[in-house]
């Protein structure tokens, strides 16, 4: 178990663990009954489930990926509770179809952190996909969702 002196070290450890494909190190930041919501809205309710999901993801979906920390912003709610927003970029996500180019994605993570004894832990995290210039998602006729900007649909 690592000792984290600041809430920002939660994000740093998450990124380092991801890039090492080290699920033990990644799961170490979470308390036992932590919550994690992924980019598609899947919601895991405890550390064990967060571990299993990331173990699968780092072996299958993200096996060649690199996560890059772009910036963080921390808001302390109390001396022992802080929210950390983190802009991250994911490169080399596994292609869904052979011969596809690896994807680059931009994400905004929110980590709700708490200092417990001498270390900071994550009690809840959520990942959101950043779609520059888009305002929301709409459901298309085929049932898939598309990121859109309502301004492009307004009549002139």
């Amino acid at each position: 178990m690592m000792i984290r002196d600041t809430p920002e070290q939660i994000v740093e450890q998450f990124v380092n663990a991801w890039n090492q494909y080290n699920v033990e190190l990644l799961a170490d930041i979470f308390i036992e009954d932590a919550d994690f919501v992924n980019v598609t809205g899947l919601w895991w309710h405890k550390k064990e489930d967060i571990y299993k999901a990331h173990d699968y993801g780092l072996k299958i979906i993200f096996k060649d990926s690199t996560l890059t920390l772009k910036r963080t912003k921390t808001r302390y709610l109390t001396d022992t509770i802080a929210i950390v927003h983190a802009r991250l970029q994911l490169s080399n996500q596994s292609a869904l179809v052979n011969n596809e180019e690896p994807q680059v994605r931009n994400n905004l993570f929110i980590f709700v952190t708490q200092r417990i004894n001498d270390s900071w832990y994550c009690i809840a995290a959520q990942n959101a996909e950043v779609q520059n210039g888009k305002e929301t998602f709409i459901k298309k006729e085929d049932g898939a969702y598309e990121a859109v900007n309502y301004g492009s649909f307004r009549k002139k």
Side-chain angles (χ1 to χ4, degrees):
M1 178 175 74
M2 291 185 63
I3 301 295
R4 291 167 296 274
D5 297 319
T6 68
E8 296 83 8
Q9 288 177 324
I10 293 283
V11 181
E12 293 165 7
Q13 185 173 333
F14 185 89
V15 169
N16 290 335
W18 185 285
N19 291 335
Q20 295 171 32
Y21 310 104
N22 184 334
V23 183
E24 296 283 340
L25 185 61
L26 188 145
D28 179 59
I29 69 173
F30 295 97
I31 63 171
E32 290 302 320
D33 63 345
D35 287 294
F36 190 102
V37 178
N38 85 348
V39 70
T40 65
L42 293 176
W43 186 2
W44 301 297
H45 300 284
K46 57 186 178 178
K47 182 177 183 170
E48 179 183 352
D49 294 335
I50 295 166
Y51 176 96
K52 288 177 185 176
H54 284 87
D55 186 49
Y56 169 80
L58 289 170
K59 287 178 180 171
I60 305 298
I61 304 168
F62 308 107
K63 62 183 169 45
D64 298 314
S65 68
T66 300
L67 199 57
T68 303
L69 177 60
K70 298 294 189 175
R71 68 183 174 117
T72 60
K73 179 184 176 189
T74 303
R75 178 178 303 258
Y76 284 87
L77 303 179
T78 70
D79 289 345
T80 60
I81 298 173
I83 298 171
V84 182
H85 288 82
R87 289 296 295 258
L88 303 173
Q89 185 173 68
L90 176 76
S91 57
N92 293 323
Q93 177 175 325
S94 302
L96 190 57
V97 178
N98 288 338
N99 300 323
E100 268 186 346
E101 288 292 317
Q103 293 188 20
V104 175
R105 295 175 40 206
N106 293 296
N107 301 84
L108 175 63
F109 273 78
I110 300 171
F111 294 91
V112 180
T113 66
Q114 182 175 11
R115 190 175 66 217
I116 302 171
N117 299 322
D118 293 333
S119 189
W120 285 87
Y121 292 89
C122 182
I123 60 175
Q126 183 163 349
N127 178 9
E129 185 82 15
V130 175
Q131 301 269 328
N132 290 331
K134 304 301 180 184
E135 297 172 320
T136 190
F137 290 95
I138 60 168
K139 194 171 187 179
K140 299 186 319 183
E141 288 181 19
D142 66 1
Y145 285 88
E146 178 182 5
V148 299
N149 179 342
Y150 271 73
S152 65
F153 292 101
R154 292 189 190 117
K155 294 183 180 182
K156 306 278 179 198

